[in-house]
Amino acid sequence: MDLHYEKQGDIQIVHITGRIDSTKADLPGKVIGKTIENGNRQLLLDLSGVSYINSAGLLAILAAAKRLRNPGDRCVLCGLSGEVRGIFELAGFTKILEIYPMVGDAISYW
Amino acid sequence: MKTCFHFSTKADIENLPQIAGWLEETLAGAGVGEKDQFEIGLAVDEACSNIILYGYADRSGTIDIESCIRDDELTVTIEDAGKPFNPLEVTPPVLDADIDHRKIGGLGVHLIRSVTDDLFYEYRDGKNILTLVKVRGAVGCG
């Protein structure tokens, strides 16, 4: 799993690629935690390069979303492949997280 | 016709990609569709993650996996000598809870149940034996 950062105005974009399984599932949690501690409270997680995610990865994302619940905070996801989106749906996460098709869609609706 | 393959590895978190790779290669080689591969792969990954992180949390050991492919279904049996753990007894998560009330536990077992058609567990001779059954080509995620 690799992470790449991009800033667009107040939006901190984190592009994640690879598999998010239990071997590295704490990494998104740590990265997001650090990003939030650095004062970024508007987060866009781009999963367009993610081929797989398991429950540990889902829970790291849920934990981040739970931390960004103050007025003005955002935790938004985009770029889910069909398979990855299927896992989010089975977990019930598509109902509780804000998800857009691509980075451009997420930013245009920000 | 039934074809079975066996894989054994040390119960180490770093070996999860190795398990996933073996399963994918075995299923693809036997002509199993990509969707079935992906879904049974998720179930096996979740089950093995639980075994490594909880079953073997205080000890070392091995995980033995047997994958059997029939024309109409896949069966994967996972054996470990970690702490007894029956996933069938795990309380399912409340999927319609809002984000503030969504609990962390039970999600892995819920995913296993969701992508398989049958699940059997027994504890025999000091071993957890979990069998996952998936009907080929059935509706699942994605």
Side-chain angles (χ1 to χ4, degrees):
Chain A
M1 179 171 57
D2 288 313
L3 300 157
H4 168 69
Y5 306 89
E6 182 189 349
K7 190 95 177 180
Q8 284 202 23
D10 290 334
I11 307 169
Q12 177 64 61
I13 307 173
V14 184
H15 302 279
I16 307 175
T17 52
R19 284 174 65 89
I20 310 179
D21 60 19
S22 300
T23 57
K24 296 277 169 58
D26 60 337
L27 192 56
K30 279 183 188 165
V31 166
I32 293 161
K34 199 176 164 195
T35 304
I36 296 169
E37 281 148 26
N38 287 343
N40 297 291
R41 302 202 62 92
Q42 298 196 29
L43 203 61
L44 174 57
L45 302 176
D46 171 22
L47 305 188
S48 55
V50 172
S51 56
Y52 175 80
I53 188 166
N54 75 356
S55 63
L58 290 173
L59 293 175
I61 289 173
L62 179 66
K66 279 174 176 273
R67 286 184 70 173
L68 292 169
R69 298 284 289 155
N70 292 329
D73 288 356
R74 298 287 298 275
C75 182
V76 176
L77 279 73
C78 67
L80 281 62
S81 69
E83 290 89 355
V84 169
R85 189 179 172 88
I87 297 173
F88 273 76
E89 282 172 2
L90 291 176
F93 278 26
T94 49
K95 292 176 191 160
I96 56 175
L97 297 172
E98 199 177 346
I99 302 172
Y100 291 95
M102 297 170 76
V103 171
D105 303 306
I107 289 174
S108 63
Y109 285 100
W110 207 266
Chain B
M1 199 178 82
K2 175 175 136 180
T3 314
C4 294
F5 303 89
H6 182 258
F7 186 72
S8 185
T9 188
K10 189 167 175 270
D12 187 313
I13 199 78
E14 298 300 327
N15 288 342
L16 284 171
Q18 199 187 341
I19 294 171
W22 168 78
L23 188 64
E24 194 180 319
E25 201 175 298
T26 302
L27 298 178
V32 173
E34 282 185 14
K35 189 167 179 292
D36 288 339
Q37 283 180 43
F38 186 85
E39 292 181 354
I40 199 76
L42 172 65
V44 170
D45 180 47
E46 292 288 356
C48 291
S49 296
N50 277 341
I51 291 167
I52 294 166
L53 294 172
Y54 306 110
Y56 283 124
D58 58 355
R59 65 193 89 168
S60 59
T62 57
I63 299 178
D64 291 298
I65 308 172
E66 186 183 64
S67 164
C68 291
I69 302 155
R70 293 181 182 82
D71 290 341
D72 58 345
E73 71 176 26
L74 309 169
T75 307
V76 180
T77 303
I78 305 170
E79 290 189 19
D80 70 272
K83 279 180 280 189
F85 172 65
N86 182 354
L88 303 180
E89 291 174 350
V90 172
T91 308
V94 180
L95 296 182
D96 54 3
D98 64 36
I99 193 163
D100 293 321
H101 297 93
R102 189 63 200 265
K103 299 282 191 291
I104 297 295
L107 187 57
V109 173
H110 166 71
L111 292 179
I112 294 174
R113 284 180 185 277
S114 302
V115 295
T116 54
D117 293 282
D118 235 332
L119 207 53
F120 302 97
Y121 170 83
E122 63 176 319
Y123 189 75
R124 186 174 12 115
D125 302 330
K127 285 189 172 181
N128 294 290
I129 304 168
L130 179 67
T131 303
L132 316 169
V133 181
K134 181 161 186 63
V135 175
R136 293 177 67 175
V139 176
C141 69

